[in-house]
Amino acid sequence: MTTLELEKTPQQQPVTAKKPFMKKFWNFIKKNPAGVIGIVLVVLSVSAALFAQWIAPFDPSKANLTSRLAPPSWADETGESVFFLGADQVGRDLLSRIIHGAKISLMVGFFGVIISMVIGTVLGLISGYFGKWLDDFIMRIADIQLAFPFMLFAIVIMSVLGTGIWKIIIILGLTYWVGFARLIRGEVISLKEQEYVQAAKAIGGTNFTIIRKHILPNVMSSILVLGTMYIAEFILLEASLTFLGLGVDPTIPSWGGMLADSRNYVTSAWWTATFPGVAIMLTVLGFNLLGDWLRDRFDPNMKL
């Protein structure tokens, strides 16, 4: 072969095996079926909350007594009902109220977790890193907090201050910081003895810098997992308080309020209680499955 022919011969490029995106996606689903279900349920709940005013077929507060306790359209033998999930005791569309109720539940869950996360993270870092009398003082406050049953504490506070969504959020945030504080304290006590933390101290790093750069990033995964699970718990607590008449204002569509309104119609109009209960169940299930998946993904002990 001549030099000219060698120059014309194309150089062979190394072939790198790349999995197609769909194959990677399918493998992820097969390896994490529970996590995928949790992600899907959470995305559906968040999407319903964000786009409620556009996807809800009817005004959730508009009553129509002519459609009182109308059955679901697919369960109506006469075919006259226009409500896919039926109507409540004053003729309001259940599907629209469930979609709008997602805003209340997720708002309580997210904002309640943010408040408790911030308080618990700060106190947990201080308690675990500095120790001594600060640790004793913070942990004794946490023990006192844990001594009060939440529902009893919330009922007393709501009875005195009145109902309201922001009052629920504040009560949840000021009550559940203990879980974050105790979790983070335990991890910080272990992390501050690591060699890289001791090296940072030896070269003159300040306590604030060490906490911000070396300790906090290593506990963020635990904070994220616990926060995800607390969202599910807060949704249940909000529904429970609203069911008891101590939560969200009755004029605002909420899943707990819908269950409270349907107490007298469980046997005669099963859909009034069933579908709000299913909405709560699926949303809580989604966040619990998502939290379990995040724990398995971030916790090295679970991987082993």
Side-chain angles (χ1 to χ4, degrees):
M1 183 177 293
T2 64
T3 305
L4 181 61
E5 290 175 338
L6 287 172
E7 292 177 353
K8 292 182 178 179
T9 303
Q11 297 293 327
Q12 292 184 351
Q13 300 293 333
V15 179
T16 58
K18 292 185 178 180
K19 291 184 179 181
F21 172 77
M22 291 304 298
K23 189 173 183 179
K24 291 181 179 179
F25 182 69
W26 178 245
N27 288 337
F28 174 78
I29 294 176
K30 289 193 296 183
K31 291 180 181 179
N32 308 281
V36 172
I37 294 173
I39 293 171
V40 170
L41 292 175
V42 169
V43 169
L44 289 176
S45 300
V46 173
S47 299
L50 293 176
F51 306 107
Q53 59 180 339
W54 292 288
I55 62 178
F58 297 96
D59 183 348
S61 301
K62 186 177 181 180
N64 183 4
L65 293 178
T66 59
S67 302
R68 181 177 181 272
L69 297 178
S73 57
W74 42 269
D76 184 16
E77 298 178 355
T78 63
E80 296 178 356
S81 177
V82 294
F83 304 114
F84 183 71
L85 297 183
D88 64 6
Q89 69 279 4
V90 293
R92 295 172 297 191
D93 179 44
L94 278 180
L95 177 59
S96 300
R97 291 180 63 79
I98 289 173
I99 293 173
H100 281 270
K103 294 190 295 184
I104 301 300
S105 295
L106 294 181
M107 185 177 177
V108 170
F110 281 115
F111 284 102
V113 163
I114 289 173
I115 294 174
S116 59
M117 182 187 298
V118 171
I119 298 174
T121 300
V122 172
L123 294 179
L125 289 171
I126 294 173
S127 177
Y129 186 82
F130 294 102
K132 299 181 180 178
W133 68 270
L134 276 174
D135 182 27
D136 291 336
F137 178 71
I138 294 173
M139 287 300 101
R140 296 300 77 74
I141 294 177
D143 292 339
I144 294 172
Q145 181 74 62
L146 290 173
F148 290 96
F150 169 78
M151 289 301 296
L152 180 61
F153 177 74
I155 289 173
V156 172
I157 297 299
M158 298 297 285
S159 300
V160 174
L161 300 180
T163 60
I165 183 171
W166 285 107
K167 293 175 184 177
I168 297 177
I169 292 173
I170 293 172
I171 290 174
L172 289 170
L174 295 179
T175 303
Y176 275 79
W177 65 268
V178 177
F180 287 100
R182 291 167 66 92
L183 172 67
I184 295 169
R185 171 186 175 271
E187 294 197 6
V188 171
I189 290 175
S190 174
L191 288 171
K192 71 178 184 180
E193 302 299 331
Q194 298 295 321
E195 293 181 356
Y196 62 89
V197 176
Q198 298 299 325
K201 290 181 179 179
I203 62 176
T206 63
N207 291 328
F208 177 76
T209 302
I210 293 172
I211 291 174
R212 179 172 61 87
K213 290 187 175 181
H214 302 291
I215 292 181
L216 183 59
N218 286 286
V219 300
M220 283 304 297
S221 59
S222 299
I223 294 173
L224 179 62
V225 172
L226 184 61
T228 305
M229 293 184 171
Y230 269 0
I231 290 175
E233 187 168 353
F234 286 5
I235 290 173
L236 283 175
L237 291 172
E238 179 274 324
S240 301
L241 288 172
T242 305
F243 182 83
L244 295 173
L246 298 172
V248 180
D249 190 279
T251 60
I252 301 175
S254 65
W255 294 341
M258 296 172 69
L259 289 176
D261 293 339
S262 63
R263 283 177 292 186
N264 298 325
Y265 308 99
V266 173
T267 56
S268 58
W270 56 268
W271 53 89
T272 58
T274 300
F275 294 122
V278 170
I280 296 173
M281 180 194 71
L282 292 178
T283 303
V284 171
L285 176 65
F287 279 104
N288 281 330
L289 291 177
L290 178 60
D292 288 340
W293 176 72
L294 291 174
R295 180 197 60 193
D296 297 344
R297 187 171 181 83
F298 290 125
D299 189 352
N301 296 322
M302 295 298 296
K303 293 180 180 179
L304 292 175

